[in-house]
Each structure stands twice: as structure tokens, then as C-alpha cells.
Amino acid sequence: MRRKLAAGNWKMNGLAADLDQIDALEAAHSAVDIDILICPPAPLLERMAARASKIAVGGQDCHASVSGAHTGDTAAAMLVDAGASHVILGHSERRTDHKETNDDVRAKARAAFDAGLIAIICVGETLAEREAANTLDIISGQLAGSIPDAANGTNLVVAYEPVWAIGTGLVPSTDQIGEVHDYIRAKLEARFGEGVGRSVRLLYGGSVKGSNAADIFAVSNVDGALVGGASLTTDAFSPIITALAAS
Ligand code: PEP
């Protein structure tokens, strides 16, 4: 049985005053039996973790090394030390802005596992790749290259995030989401065995809102969402959490 997960990615948004959102979210969803996660910018992590009780807190990236001369980077153990339980890895914005490769993501995921973090590894095709009918090949390569052999249903979550759907208001059809999620499930089962493959949670991400959440959560092999823009306010994130809890 996979626990549902509503994960918010605040990206480079949020100051101390925005931590009030945590109180409001906790009050609104104290009784829901799903996992809720917020990944704030690194400077807010420790304060958010101290304030949250039901809501888990995660990083948005980590370095592959445990320590050293890497100015501006954060080691996985530092995220844990600040109160994080999860880390997003291989988000398309990092793959693009920081030229992160599948090898980079896999090394970071190994570091995350070693530190005891749950890694949310993001995969997804660009619009050009979808239009060239290469979506499943791209996903296959990203899964094979980004996920370490030590992955299992406890330390890994996979987020399918079509690059063209992130922050654009464009959303794939439910058939398109289902095709990719079923494919990811089959790939995980083939690589890790049926038991492990079936236990890994699969999130959809890309312009999820209260208005489309219920339809997306009804798709097979969608165990939750990774939400960017709509996770920034309680008003926008709450209906998504409610829809997931009801799915
Ligand atoms: C994201 O950045 O992971 C994301 C899904 O963003 P948005 O929900 O804003 O499309």
C-alpha cells in the first residue's frame, strides 16, 4: 500500500513571514491520512521544520559529497541536520540551469540515501521530445541513469514532470499522464523486482491546481503530486491536498 504524498516545491520563493502558511496548512489538514511535504528554500528549512509537526520538510537539492570545498552547496547530512526528511533531485530547472546530468543526479541520490533522506527524483520530457515521439525513451534513460541501485520503496519517490507543463498552465491529458506513469511503474518493476517496483511512489508534477487535481489523482499509478506555484499559498495548496486525500 503506497501512502499518498502531496509535495510542495517553493523553489526560490519565501521569507520568514511566509512560514505562517505552515500553521494554516497544519490547521486545515490535521486529520488527513496522507503525507504532506514542503520543500522551502534552504535558509527557511530549519525554521520550517521547527514549526511543522504533521508536515514534513525537504530540501530542493543536495551535493553528492559529504563535505568539502563546494561554495554555495549543501550536503545531504546538513539537510537532515536542519530537519529535512526528503530532497528533490534532478528537477528540470536544475538539469537546465545547472547542467545536471543523470550521472550527477544519481550521485546526489546516493548521498541522499546514505544520509537517510528520501529522494524525490524528477524525470520528464521537453515539448520537442514529446512532439518527436521520444517521451518514453527520454523517461527510460532518465530512470536508468538517475536512480541508484540502492533505491527502494522507502528511500525513493519518482516525480514525472513534463518540462513543458511546469509553470506554464499546460497539463498533459490524463491518458498521457497514465501512459508515462504505467511505463515508469513497469520500468521500476523490471529493474528492482515486482515488490520493490510496486512500492515506489510516483508523483505527477506540472501545473497541478485545485481545479485539475481530482482528475489527475484518478489516473492509475499516480500516488500524489509535486506542486510548484500552487504550493505557495494555503488557499491554492489546500484543495490539492483535499483532492488527494479523497482519491
Ligand atoms: C515544479 O516546479 O516542480 C512544478 C510542478 O511547478 P508548477 O506546479 O508551478 O508547474
Side-chain angles (χ1 to χ4, degrees), residues 9 11 91 93 122 161 165-169 205-208 226-230:
N9 173 12
K11 310 191 186 191
H91 191 281
E93 287 154 14
C122 303
E161 298 212 308
I166 294 177
T168 59
S207 297
V208 177
L226 180 54
V227 183

Side-chain angles (χ1 to χ4, degrees), residues 167-183:
T168 59
L170 300 172
V171 182
S173 68
T174 50
D175 283 352
Q176 289 172 321
I177 295 173
E179 179 190 33
V180 176
H181 277 242
D182 289 350
Y183 181 78

